[in-house]
Amino acid sequence: MMSLSAQDQRAYIMVPLNYQQTNLIQANTARNEQLKPTGFAPYLVEIKELDSILDVDTKNWSRKEYDSWVLRKLKNEHLFEVHTKDFNLQGDAALNLELNPKKDATGRNAYTNTRGYVFNGTVGSRIFFSTSFYETQSIFPVYMDSVVSRRGAFNNGPDPERGSVPGYGRWKGYNTSSSYDYDYTLATGSFGVRLYDNSFLQFGHDKQFVGYGYRSILLSDASTPYPFLRAQFSFWQNRITYTTTWAVLQSLDRIAPKSYNSKEVMFRRLGARFSYLSFQPASWFSLGLFDGTTWTWRGNSSPASIEYYTPQAFLYTGNGIRNHISGLNGQVTLFKMLQGYGQYAINHGGRGQAAQLGVKLFGPVRNMIIQLEYNKVGQSFYYSSADSNATTFIDEPLQKGTNELDYYQHNDLILGHPMGVALDEVIVKTSYQLRDFIASFSMNYTRQNAVNNPKTIRFLQIEGGYIINPKSNAQIVGGLIQRSEVTPNSAQLNELYPYIAFRTNIFNRYLDF
């Protein structure tokens, strides 16, 4: 094995969809005034550049390089590495061992136990690939249990086979008790070919994200992975970039009743197309036009319209579209440290609007990020139906009495804002990294404007820890979540969730509901 040589510097991999690491990458892009399309993630970055950003070295400090193989693997390197002139492979064990020291009413501790792996690599300077797998068991805090279990009660009452954990996948109970125990997995994998700078073809099973903020009202990674084919082309030295993704989604209802001989009857499927055209005349400004559609599938095997297969977006003449959302996404960065960003979207079914405004400060000291974000999602925004009853308001992510195929969703999780519709949300986030020590603070204030059950949610999270290895983002952390929920018809619900964890923090795990 050897370190990356000069010949390998043009080897590219996809950036991680991880909030902490994304902030470091965005701050570095702003400081270096790079003309790079970053509105549709993940995007390509050189391996050596990514490693340098995540090392967080400064002129006053650099990470110690160890001679011992054990200490190198623990502190400096990926657990598994192969680097040659034409081949790179790097992999790590993926863990999240989280425990709440406070027992619940039944005498048990909430916890999460995740084991898995993540690998990525390149062949030559053009081929890139990745794979990951996570197996998890959890006892959630009470508020999170209500979020997850509610998906299983859509329309037909509690269904032990129906429901998804945000950001992961379908869950199932893993014992026979009546307690809130969940077993769920996350599996991703992709293979791509880089055609030229920031242009590539990629296919696989994963998630994507559109935007520069913490949330996205257009396309978020808070849903679950889906099979996809993605094509991206950049022109005019990266000033114009067009990305389109063909995907296969599903709702968690079977196409036929279960029987003894067909226990795994297929779920009902939808086609999806996500397209994004961005214009970036300078490193400090970009503006993009997003188009997201879901399509009815004929015989649960293929879309009913030939337009699904074409690479164009924004204008359609045929039928077959189930849901159609278009919007703007943009950012302006001033003085290499102050970034304003925003989104605006409409549902072409006439079912509402949504908007986002935010600002990030990359500073005032290096490796500190301060962020303020406001999101507003109208009633019925992620729902589109040909039903002539226009008085029906959609207040919930999935509302009883409606057809799940009419939602902009995958596995019963909204593809945009994870909390759904009819909401106003203010988010304040700050994080700081000093050498290998990290600290973060997050506060969410959400007003859900449901007609039948309006509520106000206050979410506070404080966390501090130590990064053991920046390549795998292995961390030891301790934190505290405090959540309160107020409704007009019930007493205030308060929950305090302290935790300690050892984890490899590789992808976004959403707990702020």
Side-chain angles (χ1 to χ4, degrees):
M1 292 186 294
M2 54 185 296
S3 60
L4 288 174
S5 63
Q7 293 92 331
D8 302 309
Q9 294 180 16
R10 302 296 294 176
Y12 288 76
I13 60 174
M14 286 290 187
V15 298
L17 287 177
N18 171 270
Y19 179 75
Q20 172 202 341
Q21 295 180 331
T22 296
N23 279 334
L24 293 175
I25 295 168
Q26 289 185 352
N28 180 78
T29 301
R31 284 194 303 268
N32 296 326
E33 298 183 303
Q34 293 178 331
L35 195 63
K36 188 175 184 66
T38 58
F40 195 111
Y43 45 87
L44 288 174
V45 65
E46 292 182 31
I47 294 179
K48 189 171 183 179
E49 178 186 4
L50 180 61
D51 286 346
S52 176
I53 294 171
L54 300 184
D55 272 343
V56 194
D57 291 343
T58 69
K59 64 181 180 180
N60 299 318
W61 173 80
S62 61
R63 183 168 284 100
K64 182 179 179 180
E65 297 289 338
Y66 292 91
D67 295 326
S68 165
W69 182 89
V70 173
L71 290 177
R72 288 203 322 271
K73 293 300 176 184
L74 181 66
K75 292 288 295 178
N76 302 128
E77 301 177 356
H78 294 280
L79 181 62
F80 184 83
E81 286 192 26
V82 176
H83 296 300
T84 68
K85 180 179 179 180
D86 297 315
F87 180 74
N88 297 291
L89 178 64
Q90 50 196 35
D92 293 287
L95 303 171
N96 182 25
L97 309 177
E98 179 180 294
L99 178 66
N100 170 23
K102 180 182 177 182
K103 295 185 181 298
D104 63 13
T106 65
R108 302 187 313 162
N109 302 87
Y111 73 92
T112 291
N113 177 13
T114 299
R115 298 89 54 214
Y117 60 81
V118 56
F119 281 86
N120 57 61
T122 65
V123 179
S125 62
R126 296 190 180 276
I127 296 175
F128 56 93
F129 59 90
S130 67
T131 182
S132 68
F133 179 80
Y134 308 86
E135 169 70 21
T136 305
Q137 289 80 40
S138 290
I139 298 177
F140 289 118
V142 175
Y143 82 91
M144 195 65 189
D145 171 65
S146 66
V147 169
V148 175
S149 63
R150 187 169 61 230
R151 266 64 175 184
F154 175 64
N155 270 344
N156 298 317
D159 183 347
E161 282 204 335
R162 184 164 197 152
S164 295
V165 178
Y168 285 82
R170 292 177 54 218
W171 60 261
K172 60 180 180 180
Y174 66 88
N175 64 25
T176 57
S177 72
S178 60
S179 59
Y180 39 98
D181 301 350
Y182 298 93
D183 187 355
Y184 50 99
T185 61
L186 173 68
T188 69
S190 66
F191 173 88
V193 178
R194 187 171 68 93
L195 305 175
Y196 51 93
D197 193 24
N198 293 310
S199 298
F200 57 87
L201 299 175
Q202 181 193 21
F203 71 91
H205 182 260
D206 210 336
K207 300 180 287 185
Q208 296 164 329
F209 186 93
V210 174
Y212 299 93
Y214 174 68
R215 305 288 200 195
S216 175
I217 60 175
L218 301 172
L219 181 62
S220 171
D221 62 337
S223 182
T224 65
Y226 40 79
F228 71 91
L229 171 64
R230 177 180 174 186
Q232 176 169 305
F233 299 95
S234 287
F235 310 95
W236 194 19
Q237 297 178 329
N238 297 327
R239 290 179 175 87
I240 296 178
T241 302
Y242 180 68
T243 296
T244 190
T245 296
W246 294 266
V248 179
L249 310 179
Q250 67 182 19
S251 64
L252 295 183
D253 63 307
R254 307 280 185 176
I255 62 173
K258 283 202 315 175
S259 68
Y260 178 80
N261 295 320
S262 58
K263 292 184 178 180
E264 288 298 321
V265 177
M266 291 176 60
F267 291 110
R268 199 167 301 280
R269 289 177 174 173
L270 288 167
R273 262 257 308 281
F274 310 119
S275 300
Y276 185 69
L277 176 65
S278 70
F279 174 57
Q280 188 173 15
S283 61
W284 57 270
F285 172 77
S286 66
L287 181 66
L289 181 60
F290 173 83
D291 186 80
T293 54
T294 61
W295 300 72
T296 299
W297 274 39
R298 181 175 47 221
N300 215 46
S301 62
S302 62
S305 173
I306 191 66
E307 285 187 312
Y308 169 79
Y309 298 98
T310 60
Q312 107 292 344
F314 313 117
L315 296 174
Y316 302 96
T317 59
N319 54 20
I321 292 180
R322 198 88 185 198
N323 219 305
H324 186 188
I325 290 175
S326 294
L328 294 172
N329 174 64
Q331 65 88 19
V332 177
T333 302
L334 304 176
F335 315 114
K336 302 183 183 181
M337 61 181 297
L338 182 64
Q339 182 185 72
Y341 61 89
Q343 296 181 339
Y344 173 76
I346 61 172
N347 189 311
H348 289 265
R351 308 292 293 185
Q353 305 175 58
Q356 176 189 86
L357 284 175
V359 61
K360 280 185 183 179
L361 180 62
F362 303 120
V365 297
R366 191 179 180 92
N367 302 323
M368 174 179 282
I369 309 292
I370 301 173
Q371 181 175 10
L372 175 64
E373 180 174 300
Y374 170 71
N375 296 291
K376 182 177 182 63
V377 184
Q379 284 180 322
S380 308
F381 175 67
Y382 293 117
Y383 179 80
S384 181
S385 175
D387 186 358
S388 60
N389 184 9
T391 60
T392 301
F393 291 105
I394 306 301
D395 293 322
E396 302 292 336
L398 294 180
Q399 188 165 297
K400 291 186 177 182
T402 58
N403 187 344
E404 60 273 25
L405 294 178
D406 290 329
Y407 288 86
Y408 187 65
Q409 61 91 12
H410 173 52
N411 281 335
D412 287 1
L413 296 172
I414 297 298
L415 288 165
H417 197 296
M419 295 183 72
V421 295
L423 63 87
D424 292 88
E425 178 185 51
V426 177
I427 300 174
V428 179
K429 299 180 76 69
T430 182
S431 62
Y432 179 56
Q433 182 169 341
L434 177 61
R435 300 186 178 182
D436 284 331
F437 294 92
I438 54 175
S440 64
F441 168 83
S442 180
M443 181 176 65
N444 301 34
Y445 176 85
T446 308
R447 188 172 69 242
Q448 293 191 300
N449 306 308
V451 173
N452 295 322
N453 186 32
K455 66 180 70 172
T456 299
I457 299 171
R458 294 178 177 88
F459 178 93
L460 175 69
Q461 183 175 18
I462 302 172
E463 189 173 275
Y466 177 77
I467 297 178
I468 302 170
N469 186 323
K471 300 291 177 63
S472 63
N473 209 18
Q475 309 171 354
I476 297 176
V477 299
L480 178 69
I481 291 175
Q482 195 279 328
R483 182 185 184 274
S484 65
E485 178 179 318
V486 180
T487 62
N489 302 320
S490 64
Q492 179 171 326
L493 303 175
N494 292 295
E495 186 167 6
L496 196 64
Y497 177 68
Y499 60 91
I500 54 175
F502 169 72
R503 66 190 182 199
T504 47
N505 194 21
I506 299 172
F507 65 95
N508 289 324
R509 179 170 177 245
Y510 292 95
L511 295 173
D512 48 349
F513 283 85

